[in-house]
Structures are given as C-alpha cells and as structure tokens.
Amino acid sequence: MNLTDFDFDLPEELIAQHPSGIRGQDKLMQMNRFTGKVTHHLMDELPDLIAPETLMVFNDSRVRRARCYGIKQTTGREQEFMFLNQIDKDGCVWNVMVKNAKKQKPGMNYTFSDGSTGTIIENEKNNGTEFRSLKFDFALDESWFEKNGHIPLPPYIKREDTEEDSERYQNVYSKNIGSSACPTAGLHFTEDMLKKLDAKGIEREFVTLHVGLGTFLPVREDVIENHKMHEEWFSVSESTAEKINQAKKDGRPILAVGTTSVRTLESCSTADGIVQAGTQKTSIFIYPGYKFKVVDKMFTNFHTPESTLLMLVSAFSSRENILAAYKNAVENKYHFFSYGDAMLID
C-alpha cells in the first residue's frame, strides 16, 4: 500500500493546541468497525456505550520530562535533545534524538541547566540518522530529568510546554515512568469516569508500554510495507495475562484503550490469541491486512495523516471506514491528535 493512501485533509484549526478546559469534557465518536456507521456522543456517555462484561486494558506508562536543552560548549548555542532510552546498564549513556544532527558530532560536549555535562560518543548505528549516543559521568535518574527536562509535547503543538502540561499530558492512572510521549487515549479518563466504569461492573487491567519512536516517528517510505518500526519496551504481568485469557475464553470482549495497549496485546500473544506475561521489546507494525488476535474493541484519539497509528486503526476497521469517519469528524469540528477528541471503535 502507498503512504498517500493514508492522507486526508485536516484544517489546521482542528489540531488541538491545548487540553480541554476540564479533563474529560471531550467529544466522542462511536464507529462500528464493520459497517463504518458513526454516532456522536460526549465522553460522559462512555459508560453507557460499553457492555458490562467488557474487559478494558489501559497502558499505565508515565511520561518522562524527556525534552532537554544543553548548551554546546564550542558555540554557546542551545541544543535540543529528546532522551529516548538508556543504552548501558548503568544509565550513563542514553540514546537521544537531536535537532540539526549532522552538526552534532562525537566528542562535542553540552552543558545542561544543572551544570552537568553530556558528551556525544561514537556509535556506528547512528551514522546518517537523527540519533546520537550521549554519555554522562554519572547515571541519570528521574530527579535529573525533573531538574533539566521539559514535557515532550509533540511537534504539531506549536508552543512551549507549561505547568498545565505537567498535569494534563499525563494520564490520571499513570505510574511506571519511561515514555517519551504520552499514550494520549487515556487523557480523556478522569477519576470520576473510572468510578462510573466501576459502578457498571466494567473490569480493567493495566499493561505498560513505554512510548518511543516506534509510536511517533514519521513514515518515510512511499510503500508502507517497507517501513521499519523502532523497538519499544513493554511489560505484562501474570495476573493481567490470566485475566485477559480468561475473558477471551468466556467470550468477553477486550477493549484496548489506546494504540499502545493494542500493540502490547498483539505483541505478547501467541498465534491463537493467548496472552503471555513477561517483559520484552516490540517493533510490531500493524497495517491493513493484519489479523487481530486479542483486541475486539478500541478506544483511541484521532491520528495524524500518513502515520502508523492511522494505519493501525485502518487495519482494525478498514481504510475506507476510517477516512470516512475522519471526514465526518472534520465536518463536525472534532479536535484532532494528542489533546483532541476521542473515538470508540466497536
């Protein structure tokens, strides 16, 4: 399939630049994955749209303050780094995505706001890419990122991060820190909404996938089958695997909240749909033609044109159904992307 098959027209004013005034006060489109029929709701109505026997699966990863700025010692200029994951077991060497990567070479030093220094070191894997390996003489911990980092808002949000983002770009149930971007489908859920789901007897479980480049790196191949996903780390507990497998055995639907939950469940399952517990990495790329093994329903945001996320939801329904629903969303002034409105595909 061609990359242009997943393009669509989106007025810039519908790209949400800020979260809604009150968390959870968002529009919700419901779409039948088989017929493409859509109905329009508000997020408050979600508990009435979900059957009580449904098992919901959330991603509880928490966003790291991963966007950091260092001063290049040779020029005195500010340089932006996106910290993705540590490379060594000690936490002194990190894989980072760098702006103006061609000018950032091994041996160059950068001073961060707390006075610490990072040095680019040689890594053949990074040649010709926007990635570099940055080494410190001590292990970076979360307190370092709290001092030096910013909330890593996506590039289509055309502003600097604020204190509001420190709260609103995190899910209320997030706890395992490590993501370089928020699993944003969860941003629509409030503590009150979780209580309403509890009151209806709707069970929920949690997995962890730390969002990295596998989720948000653009597709640069004209033929999408040639695109290679970057690896992302995920974990599924024994009890969560057991509960999902029992629900499947009982014929109960599995509703994945967010594409990262979808990718986790489809990555950790056997060919016959048995979810296996454990910690591992995934580079799964889901696009039309993929046969889902675990997920029956999906709660998600509205995704960017030509993105792997749009391809994933198209695989869950069809490209035609999704693009028609997105056209409907544009006509009804839904807001798109991370701080935008929501979609329930069932």
Side-chain angles (χ1 to χ4, degrees):
M1 301 185 76
N2 294 323
L3 181 60
T4 53
D5 293 336
F6 297 90
D7 195 12
F8 63 92
D9 293 326
L10 179 65
E12 189 170 347
E13 63 267 20
L14 295 183
I15 300 174
Q17 297 297 307
H18 296 271
S20 55
I22 300 174
R23 188 190 288 263
Q25 297 300 301
D26 307 300
K27 293 180 181 179
L28 173 64
M29 175 185 285
Q30 182 180 26
M31 189 193 84
N32 184 295
R33 63 183 288 203
F34 302 108
T35 67
K37 180 182 177 181
V38 302
T39 53
H40 302 285
H41 304 273
L42 296 175
M43 187 63 193
D44 284 344
E45 301 172 62
L46 180 66
D48 297 326
L49 304 177
I50 300 175
E53 67 269 18
T54 302
L55 173 59
M56 299 181 72
V57 180
F58 295 77
N59 178 10
D60 65 7
S61 181
R62 188 166 179 82
V63 181
R64 172 178 286 130
R65 298 181 74 90
R67 176 172 283 118
C68 303
Y69 297 88
I71 301 299
K72 193 173 186 177
Q73 292 184 358
T74 55
T75 65
R77 292 179 179 174
E78 186 177 74
Q79 178 62 47
E80 179 181 325
F81 296 90
M82 175 71 82
F83 283 72
L84 299 172
N85 56 277
Q86 68 182 58
I87 297 174
D88 66 327
K89 64 179 180 180
D90 298 322
C92 298
V93 183
W94 283 71
N95 181 35
V96 295
M97 187 164 62
V98 191
K99 283 196 172 182
N100 300 315
K102 289 182 180 180
K103 296 181 179 180
Q104 318 311 320
K105 300 177 181 179
M108 291 183 172
N109 298 311
Y110 305 82
T111 302
F112 292 85
S113 58
D114 69 343
S116 59
T117 298
T119 303
I120 293 179
I121 61 174
E122 187 67 51
N123 186 336
E124 291 183 0
K125 293 181 180 179
N126 294 331
N127 292 341
T129 73
E130 60 265 72
F131 308 111
R132 295 292 182 266
S133 297
L134 197 60
K135 182 179 180 179
F136 295 77
D137 59 7
F138 61 95
L140 302 190
D141 57 18
E142 295 309 324
S143 66
W144 187 89
F145 287 103
E146 286 297 318
K147 294 175 187 174
N148 295 278
H150 294 257
I151 295 296
L153 296 178
Y156 47 74
I157 294 181
K158 308 295 185 182
R159 60 178 178 82
E160 296 298 318
D161 64 302
T162 66
E163 278 305 307
E164 180 186 37
D165 297 306
S166 297
E167 176 200 356
R168 295 296 300 274
Y169 197 65
Q170 299 279 14
N171 292 317
V172 297
Y173 50 78
S174 65
K175 65 177 183 178
N176 292 314
I177 197 161
S179 279
S180 300
C182 183
T184 54
L187 293 178
H188 304 281
F189 290 84
T190 63
E191 293 291 356
D192 185 58
M193 172 58 69
L194 296 177
K195 290 177 182 177
K196 289 179 180 178
L197 293 170
D198 289 341
K200 283 203 65 176
I202 297 169
E203 188 179 3
R204 64 178 175 272
E205 288 293 323
F206 296 93
V207 296
T208 303
L209 181 142
H210 290 322
V211 184
L213 291 180
T215 294
F216 65 78
L217 195 68
V219 178
R220 298 191 175 106
E221 300 285 349
D222 292 332
V223 178
I224 67 169
E225 289 86 347
N226 295 333
H227 176 69
K228 302 298 182 185
M229 298 283 282
H230 285 255
E231 289 184 330
E232 293 172 308
W233 179 95
F234 73 86
S235 182
V236 179
S237 70
E238 290 281 356
S239 68
T240 293
E242 289 175 5
K243 288 181 180 179
I244 294 171
N245 290 331
Q246 187 60 53
K248 295 293 286 186
K249 185 177 179 180
D250 295 342
R252 296 167 57 199
I254 306 299
L255 194 168
V257 176
T259 56
T260 57
S261 297
V262 173
R263 294 180 66 240
T264 299
L265 295 177
E266 296 297 317
S267 295
C268 70
S269 59
T270 61
D272 54 356
I274 303 300
V275 171
Q276 299 179 309
T279 297
Q280 56 183 295
K281 294 179 180 179
T282 180
S283 57
I284 190 171
F285 179 22
I286 298 176
Y287 55 87
Y290 179 85
K291 303 299 181 185
F292 287 82
K293 300 170 291 184
V294 180
V295 177
D296 304 297
K297 301 173 184 291
M298 189 187 309
F299 181 95
T300 187
N301 280 9
F302 290 91
H303 303 295
T304 56
E306 299 184 342
S307 64
T308 60
L309 305 181
L310 182 61
M311 295 168 194
L312 185 153
V313 296
S314 295
F316 193 64
S317 176
S318 72
R319 185 183 70 90
E320 294 75 17
N321 284 349
I322 291 295
L323 291 182
Y326 275 39
K327 186 174 184 293
N328 190 313
V330 168
E331 292 169 350
N332 284 277
K333 305 298 183 184
Y334 279 69
H335 286 100
F336 280 65
F337 310 160
S338 294
Y339 278 147
D341 293 309
M343 187 177 196
L344 175 63
I345 309 175
D346 59 8

